[in-house]
Amino acid sequence: MPRKPIVGGNWKCNPDKTEKLDSLISNYDSEKIDTSKCDVYVCPSPLHVSYCMGKFKEGVMVTPQNCNIKGCGAFTGEMAVEQMKDMGITNVLIGHSERRGEFGLMAYDTNETLATKLKYILDSGLNCIFCIGEKLSIREQGIEAVMKECAAQLEDVKGMLDPARVVIAYEPVWSIGTGVTASPEQAQETHKAIREWIAKECSAETAAAIRIQYGGSANAKNAPDLSACPDVDGFLVGGASLKPEFKDIVAAISAAKKA
Ligand code: PEP
């Protein structure tokens, strides 16, 4: 069964003013983006999630950038999945490298906390985008080292990789926000290796069905070539998700994967 492509926009801690949200949201209008051939989600900053709910056209899922590990209560500054469910949210993103401690921020998450979060998300009935990826120093050692790191990041969650509910976002850290995109060859080689690891550690069915997005300086220009990679099922897009070109990324993967 073919995998439906999926593209997400990660707005990170943007925009700086609420008044800019309507114009950003209009980039995702259904006249511009066809969600019948591609799942689309957007991760607004936590402060903007509420504003964005109900503002996107049919099919674009508002997806928080994080959640806590155990629900409502005395957890100052946190966001609970129960609150998300109550707001009609169906999807959460976790494990972004900027939360794993890259880019000078402290490490808010480890492989262990992320496994706890994923279990909590799935037990609560929500779906998840689970981000993984290696640093430049690991990439420089070659694909075996890269795969060892990806496997380490997936090890604690391998029993939870239900393809209907979990999407993996492979995002090489050296490529995020740098303008240095993985080449189609690098992306395909890594996505294929991740799928093979899942086949070995989970099952062939899981590996065949689970969607693996590529993330790292994806844009309208490089999306067509990356979309042609058989194991690339979509994109997680940072910078370009704040621009009108996001629609071209969705169009590129939709065209490449049409049955
Ligand atoms: C991201 O933040 O997940 C990302 C991939 O960012 P960018 O597209 O800007 O590299």
Side-chain angles (χ1 to χ4, degrees):
M1 190 134 128
R3 296 180 293 269
K4 188 177 184 190
I6 178 163
V7 177
N10 180 11
W11 291 355
K12 310 192 188 196
C13 197
N14 295 299
D16 58 345
K17 289 190 168 49
T18 313
E19 68 192 40
K20 294 182 182 167
L21 283 170
D22 286 344
S23 147
L24 263 182
I25 290 168
S26 76
N27 290 337
Y28 294 72
D29 279 355
S30 50
E31 308 85 65
K32 296 178 187 146
I33 291 183
D34 180 0
T35 52
S36 66
K37 298 182 191 67
C38 181
D39 289 336
V40 178
Y41 65 91
V42 172
C43 307
S45 83
L47 285 172
H48 293 156
V49 164
S50 232
Y51 181 90
C52 290
M53 281 306 291
K55 296 245 170 33
F56 287 99
K57 297 276 157 56
E58 193 80 17
V60 176
M61 298 171 281
V62 173
T63 299
Q65 301 169 7
N66 182 36
C67 66
N68 77 3
I69 52 171
K70 59 184 200 187
C72 295
F75 307 112
T76 303
E78 291 291 340
M79 299 184 287
V81 169
E82 287 74 9
Q83 295 168 318
M84 297 174 191
K85 263 176 94 167
D86 176 63
M87 292 166 68
I89 288 167
T90 56
N91 234 15
V92 193
L93 178 142
I94 58 171
H96 194 283
S97 56
E98 286 156 19
R99 297 197 61 83
R100 287 178 183 263
E102 299 305 326
F103 304 106
L105 297 177
M106 61 192 278
Y108 300 99
D109 271 314
T110 62
N111 291 334
E112 209 182 343
T113 61
L114 289 166
T116 307
K117 286 185 182 187
L118 182 57
K119 181 166 182 344
Y120 165 50
I121 291 165
L122 297 179
D123 285 351
S124 306
L126 266 72
N127 299 333
C128 185
I129 314 295
F130 191 87
C131 305
I132 61 171
E134 82 288 354
K135 297 178 200 181
L136 181 59
S137 56
I138 296 178
R139 171 56 64 176
E140 284 169 348
Q141 294 165 42
I143 184 67
E144 270 181 35
V146 169
M147 200 44 231
K148 195 168 163 224
E149 175 63 14
C150 290
Q153 294 181 13
L154 288 171
E155 180 63 31
D156 293 349
V157 299
K158 68 185 181 192
M160 295 183 257
L161 297 180
D162 173 352
R165 305 196 51 206
V166 180
V167 171
I168 294 171
Y170 166 65
E171 300 205 294
V173 175
W174 46 272
S175 179
I176 295 180
T178 58
V180 181
T181 318
S183 66
E185 294 72 25
Q186 282 173 320
Q188 171 55 24
E189 182 183 46
T190 315
H191 282 227
K192 183 165 174 280
I194 293 168
R195 216 178 281 290
E196 285 169 355
W197 184 88
I198 293 171
K200 188 158 71 64
E201 298 292 327
C202 306
S203 71
E205 292 72 30
T206 302
I210 200 155
R211 294 179 292 178
I212 307 176
Q213 297 180 293
Y214 167 78
S217 300
N219 57 35
K221 201 155 164 257
N222 55 39
D225 286 346
L226 286 161
S227 297
C229 300
D231 287 294
V232 171
D233 302 313
F235 299 97
L236 178 51
V237 185
S241 72
L242 296 162
K243 300 177 187 162
E245 73 180 87
F246 183 83
K247 68 174 185 330
D248 301 321
I249 302 174
V250 175
I253 192 99
S254 302
K257 306 296 176 187
K258 72 170 180 267

